[in-house]
Amino acid sequence: MSVFAPASPFADFIYRHFRAIHALKLGLALLIAITINAIWSPPHFIWSMVTIVIIMMSLPQVGGAIEKSLQRAVGTCLGSAYGVMLVATIDSYWLMMGLLILGVTLICFISAGRYSYAYLVAGFTIIIVVGDANHDTSEALWRTANILLGCVIAILVSLFIFPIKAKQDWRSQLANAIDNMAKVLTQHLQAPANHDLDFRAELEAAMKAVLTQKKLFFSLEWESQTLKKHKVLLAELVNKQVRLITLLELLPLSRWQEADKEAYHQINRVAAELTAYLQRLAEFVAGKTATLPTLPSALEQELQHRLQLSLATPTPASVPLENEVAQGFALTGYGWLIYQLAIAVEALYADIEIIEIAYSGQTVLHKTAKPS
């Protein structure tokens, strides 16, 4: 099923109440751990509960919980193996501590990128295992086992108990960003000449939604093989949204006099069509419409032609001769801005269409977007 398909009532309920559901899931995971401790009472069981809290508290989505659990498990196993090796084979206190420092500093040197959390866990696990060098490896092994148990509990609860999907959040943030862009363009087109409207709230909301999309990329890879194959496209989609927001930030700088109104309004008729395209795209991404809206063929060439015609409008007689150059320059600049917006909207449509086609299993047609 497509990532843009209308959400089921169950999925919609989970997303609308995900904060409360996430808190309940964390409590349930801790209850499972406490129950295991009451029945079995393994040593150092507190590490299972600590692991559950660390993994689940900041990552409500299924993909994020899996990603962090696996990194913590791998880091714990590597750090524990190195620490146990030091404790079991080395008798000299200073040699053991020297090798501990060497291992932690080496981890610090190579720690970077996507797996930085695994390196962090490996580093402090070495210190926990070696401790004061008392050569008690059983304590280290029990801590490792309890951390791994906490990882398993966190993954199972995230996966099977009211799963909170990153895909739902990602599409919601994408729709929110596009909808805010459409609102900015609508308000600009409805405003009078020389308006002083402030679009910062809408543009900041759109940018916040774009940044949230970026944070969800790793979680999306664990939840959807289709999106994982198109992770480069997801990054490009973010960049194109940022370009649209940047272009929309220039709109409040657009000014015209009443005498120029007709020429500007001809360009705004083109901009009004872009608003409609953005609104329909936001509705599709949010799951309010079942099929992806289509853009007219040769949209770019058609808009370019219509904008050129609007720029050819004679300067009104009421405009003094010395102001003709300034007025023409401003009008041409405004036409360029709307044209660039049209290119950006078309590129946004193309990327979303590729994702939709990929989910349907069809062959993706190669589309070359005009360079931004």
Side-chain angles (χ1 to χ4, degrees), residues 3 42 88 95 105 132 160 169 206 217 220 254-255 268 298-299 304 314:
V3 69
L95 177 59
T105 52
D132 58 357
F160 299 111
D169 195 12
F217 282 177
L220 291 172
S254 305
R255 296 290 186 270
N268 283 345
L299 170 68
Q304 185 178 23

Side-chain angles (χ1 to χ4, degrees), residues 297-352:
S297 58
L299 170 68
E300 186 180 320
Q301 292 82 352
E302 179 187 346
L303 293 184
Q304 185 178 23
H305 175 67
R306 290 169 59 185
L307 289 170
Q308 287 174 342
L309 290 178
S310 66
L311 295 177
T313 303
T315 304
S318 58
V319 177
L321 184 61
E322 61 270 18
N323 292 336
E324 284 189 24
V325 174
Q327 189 271 349
F329 178 79
L331 188 62
T332 302
Y334 185 63
W336 174 89
L337 175 59
I338 299 303
Y339 179 60
Q340 291 300 317
L341 281 171
I343 294 175
V345 170
E346 194 172 26
L348 199 63
Y349 260 82
D351 283 355
I352 292 176

Side-chain angles (χ1 to χ4, degrees), residues 276-295:
Y277 297 145
L278 282 173
Q279 289 171 338
R280 288 198 289 268
L281 185 60
E283 291 175 355
F284 168 74
V285 171
K288 296 178 181 178
T289 56
T291 56
L292 176 69
T294 56
L295 294 176

Side-chain angles (χ1 to χ4, degrees), residues 1-56:
M1 185 172 66
S2 171
V3 69
F4 301 121
S8 66
F10 179 69
D12 186 60
F13 172 82
I14 291 176
Y15 182 71
R16 284 189 289 109
H17 304 284
F18 82 93
R19 289 184 183 277
I21 290 174
H22 179 224
L24 291 173
K25 289 174 66 173
L26 176 59
L28 176 61
L30 290 174
L31 178 60
I32 294 172
I34 291 170
T35 303
I36 293 174
N37 184 43
I39 297 172
W40 189 20
S41 298
H44 307 291
F45 193 76
I46 191 67
W47 284 100
S48 291
M49 300 176 68
V50 170
T51 299
I52 290 170
V53 171
I54 289 175
I55 291 173
M56 294 187 66

Side-chain angles (χ1 to χ4, degrees), residues 56-77:
M56 294 187 66
M57 183 166 284
S58 60
L59 292 168
Q61 295 88 5
V62 171
I66 295 174
E67 167 88 11
K68 196 165 186 177
S69 294
L70 291 178
Q71 288 204 38
R72 188 171 180 86
V74 171
T76 297
C77 289

